[in-house]
Amino acid sequence: MLSALVFVPTVVALLLFALPRSTSPSVFRVIWVMASAFELALIIALWSGYEADGGMQYEVRARWIPSAGVGYHVGVDGLSLPLLALTCLLFLACAVYSLREGRRIREFAALFLFLETTCLGVFAALDLILFFVFFDLSIVAMYFIIAGWGHKQAARAALKFFLYTFIGSLALLLGFIGLYLAASPHTFDMVELTEQNPLAGRSVYAALVLLAIVVGLAVKTPTVPFHTWLPLAHVEAPAAGSAILAGVLLKMGTYGFIRIAMPMLPEAWRRYALVLVVIGVVSVIYGALVALAQTDFKRMIAYTSVNHMGYIVLAIGAAAATADTSAQARSLAVTGAVTQMVSHGLLTGALFLLAGIMYERGRTYEMSAYSGVAAVAPVFAALTGVAAFASLGLPGFSGFIAEFQIFTGSLGPQPLATTLSVLGILLTAGLFLRALRQVLMGPPRLPDAPGTPRTFPDVRAHEVVAVVPLLVLAVVLGVAPRFLLDVIEPASRAVLELLAR
Amino acid sequence: MTEMNENPLNLLPEVLLAASAVLGLLLGSWLPRTRQWLVGQLAVASCVAGIVAASIAAADPAATAFGEAFATDPVTSTSRIVVLGGTLLVLGISFRALQADARESEFYVLVQLAALGALMMAGAQDLLLLAAAYLLASIPAYTLAGFRKDGPGTEAALKYYVVGALLGVFMLTGITILYAAGRSTSYPMLGDALRDAPETLVATGAIGLLAGVLFKAGGVPAHFWVPDAVQGSSPPVAALLTTLPKIGALAALFRLGDVVFAGSSLPWPALVAVLAAASMTLGNLGAFFQQDVKRLLAYSTISQVGYLLMPVAVAGLSDLSQQALLYYLAAYTVTNLGAFAVVCALPHARTLEDYRGLAKERPLLAASLVVCLLGLVGTPPTAIFIGKLEVFSAAVDGGYAWLAVLAAANTVASLFYYLRWIAPAVSRSGSSSPAEGDRTARVVAYAVTAVSLGLGIAGGPVLDALAAPITR
């Protein structure tokens, strides 16, 4: 069932190419939406059959390349299930949002479906090489999406994106090889590597492997100072591409920290946790400050991603920083980190889709070009307002739950760092409020096309259908988060047990 | 050397190839010009028969033929299958271009002889046989480089020949010196004798020997001929020059490292590691801003030799090195020939710009190109990805982690110039439409792409087969 979840989108993508060229574009759109909806139904079914305390479930193991220690091994636990669900939901939102996409819809749909496979594959993989294969292919698919459907500087942005993230993935591969060679018998299987803890007691080797893995994942996450690829890629990508890039692809990095680096290299992780805490805090503050300085709406959201990812890095660093704080606090930090991944995926996905709506009407992201949009497009304004408030961590939304857990969990072990990071919330509040006032309030003014003034029609039905569920879920998570936390908490306790070895 | 095992059946693939070359030459002089394709079919048949024979022989335990001069072990078996398979592909992409050419049959004969030379290099376990194989692999290749008899072709042939002749002399000198130092030309005996031989003699001899073998491999510092010879010769010949001799040369280098220099005082692994580092880096730097696709591929093959030299460097140090090398060789051959097949399929597209809009005109061909080029980078799930995984693992395992890091950095760098080719090919704004192309080459490109993906996804059994020990 899990394999079906992973591979169905690619199969559908191939089927799209089997249809004759003369097929009406709407057929492709409908197939795309239906396939994405099927994926969502499948993950809901998976979730309903999932036992919160049951550890790894839906496992499938098969021989793949045994002589290289590589196997096909997938499974789901409390860390991956929320992210798999998030992936399915966001891809469905993007499919619905793109119902009006006119340019080469067949290729666009096929690329997104293929990208969905790679994203689901990363979160389901329990073999390092399988993980890497999906991780790398997601870069390839995203490259073509940015290069083919992006804005003016798409070619340059796509190239930069590919080169940067490919460096990261190769560093990751070297780290994986280091783990492989240390294990006896040599294996890439995550479960076995986690049990073996092959680098216990070999501090230099473990430090090098951890360095390679952390650099690889930090590029993808991205954290300061590896974030420079992100703004350009986000700004130039089409709206749906940005939503996936921020909502799902960035999570691959943070997920990798919790899934691979923490449990497989516990000693090294504990030793260098302070470095991660520092990186996290710097990312929080720096990301927020740079976002504050932006005049471009989409670029601003992109930088807030650096800030939000910083909270996650802070939490997973703080969870290991000192062993003498209470286990409950540290578990809270890890749970908060996973919740933050889900929450950020929902909110940033929604924000990027809204930015796409804005660009489609006004042909620019420049905030100073807009004013008083609330008067002409009240629903759009309301949705943007809700997404912005949720993203800055207002109580009642998922972001608050996540950040509250992160700060409560991290404050004990890392009081100074956590205090500094809380300032990040203040900064994001400032920048979001400023952006809202600039764009939504004041006298109505819209960017002019040469000659005639443009109109700003309010959100259309398909755009509402794409954006509203993401925000509703963010509210549901903010009000009644238990159903999510029940899944995450056992898994984060398990990770901390592994880390304490 | 008490019992001479001169059973020619041990060399069945080689014998088949030689026989078909001779027969082809005779046939070619009698057949009318429109029927010369029969010689090509004969060559195809001999390659297929050779692959079958080699696969059957691969199941036998490792042995030697002609005293200890020629080894039949996994390295030889794999090289045979890869070389013959590569020859088949080269024949496939040249078939249409040569139809009813005045010298059609000569071309096929020369291709077979060059392939035979590569096969002999791969199996040679004796320095003298290696020298003979070097000449056999080189001389037909010189002729092929200038086969078109036009200006660039002549320049290519001349440059190739002059460099080859010079480095061939170095190689013979090196062999003489090693003979003096070790009093034998047979690898296993040399391996023992060189342990106590004077270091200077061994080093001088080894460097001379390396000059020749690296020339065939197209690795730094014997790589000067590669860009010009590849750009000047016709695309099928360029495909041949950048694959078949490399297979033989790298297999020969692996044997030299594992059997001859493993125990000697020479720092062989470090030497090869430096050469590997130089090859991958210089090849990549050279490829960066090339506009001509063949020249770009030429530099890319230089960098690929760098990756291929990594398992050679750790030949005696890591158990993974042999399967890493052989798998990478097979993956490289398939992928590189795939890229050249696309070039052959579009004979009028010379520069990167000429590929603009290919995806709109010929989506499948564009897909093949993307798969092959990303394959050369090592993106999963293509064959070279597993090859790179193995090669990196072998290098780290053998204590050359820095080389693996450098190779990873180089991989990223190489991505840049492959993307310079991919970007126009998949871009939508197609100004020039790629003109009528070569259908056979197109089919070869599709088939090779499928094989490259297949080897990447289902490479397990192949890797298993490559791990058996070689003869010493």
Side-chain angles (χ1 to χ4, degrees):
Chain A
M1 189 155 163
L2 192 56
S3 302
L5 180 78
V6 172
F7 290 107
V8 160
T10 295
V11 173
V12 175
L14 292 177
L15 285 180
L16 289 182
F17 283 105
L19 291 173
R21 244 171 213 275
S22 54
T23 315
S24 147
S26 55
V27 174
F28 294 121
R29 296 191 184 109
V30 170
I31 293 178
W32 181 14
V33 171
M34 275 168 49
S36 307
F38 174 75
E39 290 288 299
L40 187 63
L42 212 53
I43 193 71
I44 290 172
L46 263 170
W47 192 309
S48 61
Y50 178 85
E51 287 168 44
D53 272 331
M56 200 57 77
Q57 286 163 53
Y58 299 105
E59 266 187 275
V60 180
R61 260 177 212 264
R63 289 162 56 82
W64 184 19
I65 311 173
S67 52
V70 182
Y72 177 80
H73 188 183
V74 291
V76 177
D77 69 356
L79 299 178
S80 46
L81 185 62
L83 292 169
L84 287 169
L86 170 73
T87 307
C88 291
L89 182 68
L90 266 182
F91 272 94
L92 178 59
C94 288
V96 173
Y97 175 84
S98 305
L99 275 174
R100 292 284 288 258
E101 176 69 51
R103 294 174 294 167
R104 293 181 297 163
I105 184 70
R106 185 218 303 249
E107 287 81 2
F108 195 63
L111 271 174
F112 264 90
L113 287 168
F114 175 64
L115 188 60
E116 185 166 5
T117 287
T118 64
C119 296
L120 293 170
V122 165
F123 298 129
L126 288 179
D127 182 282
L128 290 177
I129 292 304
L130 195 63
F131 179 93
F132 181 82
V133 167
F134 288 124
F135 193 88
D136 228 22
L137 284 178
S138 73
I139 303 176
V140 176
M142 189 45 90
Y143 168 81
F144 284 113
I145 288 174
I146 298 177
W149 287 267
H151 306 317
K152 280 187 203 96
Q153 295 189 326
R156 201 164 74 85
L159 182 67
K160 193 171 176 183
F161 163 77
F162 204 143
L163 288 179
Y164 263 75
T165 47
F166 204 73
I167 292 178
S169 78
L170 283 171
L172 197 61
L173 183 63
L174 288 177
F176 287 176
I177 289 175
L179 279 171
Y180 165 76
L181 291 172
S184 66
H186 294 342
T187 180
F188 282 110
D189 193 277
M190 290 191 199
V191 177
E192 281 176 36
L193 281 171
T194 309
E195 277 168 14
Q196 273 196 21
N197 188 12
L199 289 169
R202 302 166 70 178
S203 57
V204 179
Y205 190 170
L208 287 174
V209 170
L210 183 68
L211 178 70
I213 291 180
V214 165
V215 167
L217 296 171
V219 171
K220 190 86 171 187
T221 299
T223 63
V224 175
F226 303 111
H227 65 287
T228 46
W229 62 268
L230 177 107
L232 188 63
H234 271 306
V235 171
E236 298 302 325
S242 303
I244 296 299
L245 186 55
V248 182
L249 261 59
L250 302 192
K251 308 301 173 301
M252 292 179 180
T254 48
Y255 172 77
F257 282 126
I258 300 183
R259 167 67 75 207
I260 296 168
M262 283 171 83
M264 289 183 203
L265 296 156
E267 281 182 14
W269 183 273
R270 289 201 306 271
R271 181 170 308 131
Y272 298 103
L274 195 62
V275 179
L276 285 150
V277 170
V278 171
I279 292 177
V281 175
V282 172
S283 297
V284 165
I285 304 287
Y286 180 84
L289 282 175
V290 179
L292 192 63
Q294 299 306 316
T295 56
D296 179 312
F297 188 60
K298 207 174 181 188
R299 191 177 272 268
M300 181 192 85
I301 303 173
Y303 275 110
T304 63
S305 294
V306 177
N307 160 279
H308 283 110
M309 292 294 112
Y311 296 129
I312 300 179
V313 177
L314 164 73
I316 54 180
T322 41
D324 49 52
T325 47
S326 78
Q328 202 194 350
R330 291 184 292 141
S331 161
L332 207 54
V334 175
T335 309
V338 180
T339 317
Q340 173 76 325
M341 291 186 213
V342 177
S343 157
H344 178 258
L346 295 171
L347 297 173
T348 311
L351 275 172
F352 274 120
L353 292 181
L354 289 165
I357 293 173
M358 180 169 140
Y359 183 85
E360 204 240 333
R361 316 286 200 263
R363 292 287 142 199
T364 175
Y365 294 119
E366 204 55 44
M367 286 186 279
S368 54
Y370 297 88
S371 175
V373 170
V376 287
V379 184
F380 171 80
L383 290 178
T384 313
V386 169
F389 278 111
S391 184
L392 63 83
L394 210 64
F397 294 104
S398 55
F400 173 73
I401 302 286
E403 282 157 29
F404 176 75
Q405 286 182 322
I406 288 176
F407 291 136
T408 318
S410 312
L411 191 62
Q414 293 291 342
L416 176 67
T418 311
T419 316
L420 280 173
S421 314
V422 177
L423 287 177
I425 298 219
L426 200 64
L427 287 171
T428 32
L431 68 95
F432 271 119
L433 291 177
R434 207 184 50 139
L436 289 181
R437 193 206 59 208
Q438 167 86 61
V439 174
L440 303 179
M441 310 298 161
R445 183 161 56 84
L446 295 167
D448 288 340
T452 54
R454 287 172 180 273
T455 55
F456 198 101
D458 210 343
V459 281
R460 301 191 177 88
H462 69 96
E463 292 162 347
V464 173
V465 175
V467 175
V468 168
L470 300 178
L471 296 176
V472 168
L473 198 60
V475 174
V476 169
L477 284 179
V479 178
R482 271 323 316 166
F483 76 97
L484 179 66
L485 300 182
D486 283 343
V487 168
I488 300 174
E489 274 166 1
S492 58
R493 277 198 298 274
V495 166
L496 286 169
E497 273 167 31
L498 291 169
L499 186 62
R501 284 183 293 176
Chain B
M1 239 187 275
T2 43
E3 39 168 344
M4 288 294 278
N5 42 353
E6 289 179 355
N7 182 4
L9 278 182
N10 283 350
L11 296 179
L12 192 56
E14 287 81 6
V15 171
L16 279 172
L17 207 54
S20 138
V22 174
L23 195 62
L25 205 56
L26 294 175
L27 266 178
S29 36
W30 294 106
L31 284 171
R33 188 176 287 187
T34 49
R35 288 282 188 77
Q36 296 218 337
W37 53 268
L38 274 171
V39 179
Q41 298 305 325
L42 180 68
V44 168
S46 78
C47 285
V48 172
I51 291 175
V52 173
S55 318
I56 294 169
D60 299 339
T64 54
F66 292 94
E68 291 197 316
F70 194 90
T72 50
D73 55 17
V75 175
T76 310
S77 305
T78 316
S79 307
R80 277 172 174 168
I81 295 173
V82 175
V83 168
L84 292 172
T87 313
L88 271 182
L89 296 176
V90 170
L91 291 170
I93 54 180
S94 51
F95 200 61
R96 188 53 71 91
L98 280 165
Q99 220 162 30
D101 188 282
R103 291 169 295 146
E104 192 179 354
S105 58
E106 283 88 335
F107 183 89
Y108 298 133
V109 170
L110 287 170
V111 169
Q112 289 180 83
L113 289 176
L116 182 60
L119 280 185
M120 296 308 287
M121 277 187 93
Q125 263 224 113
D126 188 292
L127 291 178
L128 289 179
L129 185 61
L130 184 68
Y134 171 87
L135 293 175
L136 182 55
S138 299
I139 293 168
Y142 301 146
T143 326
L144 283 172
F147 198 76
R148 281 200 299 202
K149 285 193 186 168
D150 51 2
T154 313
E155 191 197 328
L158 193 66
K159 201 151 186 175
Y160 192 25
Y161 172 72
V162 169
V163 177
L166 176 70
L167 294 177
V169 172
F170 280 168
M171 182 179 178
L172 288 173
T173 315
I175 290 175
T176 316
I177 294 172
L178 284 177
Y179 181 51
R183 297 197 173 66
S184 167
T185 54
S186 159
Y187 287 8
M189 292 168 137
L190 267 179
D192 293 331
L194 290 187
R195 257 179 258 276
D196 336 298
E199 201 177 331
T200 340
L201 265 189
V202 179
T204 323
I207 286 170
L209 188 58
L210 263 179
V213 186
L214 277 178
F215 163 74
K216 284 275 87 178
V220 173
H223 66 289
F224 292 104
W225 60 275
V226 179
D228 294 313
V230 167
Q231 191 185 12
S233 46
S234 67
V237 173
L240 181 144
L241 293 184
T242 52
T243 43
L244 302 191
K246 277 193 186 9
I247 304 166
L250 285 156
L253 270 178
F254 182 79
R255 256 181 227 290
L256 286 171
D258 202 21
V259 183
V260 179
F261 296 108
S264 74
S265 49
L266 189 72
W268 172 265
L271 180 65
V272 178
V274 169
L275 291 172
S279 282
M280 58 179 88
T281 312
L282 293 179
N284 275 334
L285 290 181
F288 263 175
F289 295 107
Q290 297 300 332
Q291 285 302 328
D292 187 291
V293 288
K294 275 196 286 174
R295 214 171 165 81
L296 187 145
L297 278 178
Y299 279 108
S300 120
T301 67
I302 298 175
S303 73
Q304 296 285 338
V305 173
Y307 307 130
L308 282 162
L309 282 173
M310 290 166 65
V312 174
V314 292
L317 304 175
S318 166
D319 298 336
L320 297 168
S321 59
Q322 184 186 326
Q323 55 172 353
L325 174 74
L326 296 178
Y327 194 87
Y328 200 121
L329 267 179
Y332 163 75
T333 306
V334 167
T335 316
N336 191 52
L337 285 175
F340 271 106
V342 175
V343 174
C344 291
L346 300 166
H348 300 293
R350 287 173 196 285
T351 64
L352 299 181
E353 258 327 281
D354 293 343
Y355 281 78
R356 189 165 287 283
L358 181 65
K360 212 166 58 181
E361 294 289 318
R362 298 207 174 281
L364 266 182
L365 198 61
S368 296
L369 183 71
V370 170
V371 170
C372 286
L373 291 183
L374 287 181
L376 284 173
V377 180
T379 314
T382 58
I384 289 190
F385 167 64
I386 297 182
K388 276 212 165 132
L389 180 66
E390 289 291 303
V391 164
F392 286 9
S393 301
V396 176
D397 195 32
Y400 281 86
W402 65 268
L403 192 57
V405 173
L406 186 71
N410 264 300
T411 303
V412 177
S414 72
L415 188 62
F416 173 73
Y417 58 82
Y418 293 122
L419 284 181
R420 282 186 62 230
W421 190 354
I422 292 177
V426 300
S427 85
R428 60 214 126 163
S429 54
S431 50
S432 63
S433 61
E436 192 49 31
D438 179 336
R439 190 147 39 86
T440 330
R442 218 152 58 216
V443 173
V444 171
Y446 302 153
V448 164
T449 308
V451 172
S452 167
L453 286 174
L455 263 183
I457 293 168
V462 183
L463 267 177
D464 279 337
L466 301 179
I470 71 168
T471 43
R472 281 168 188 266

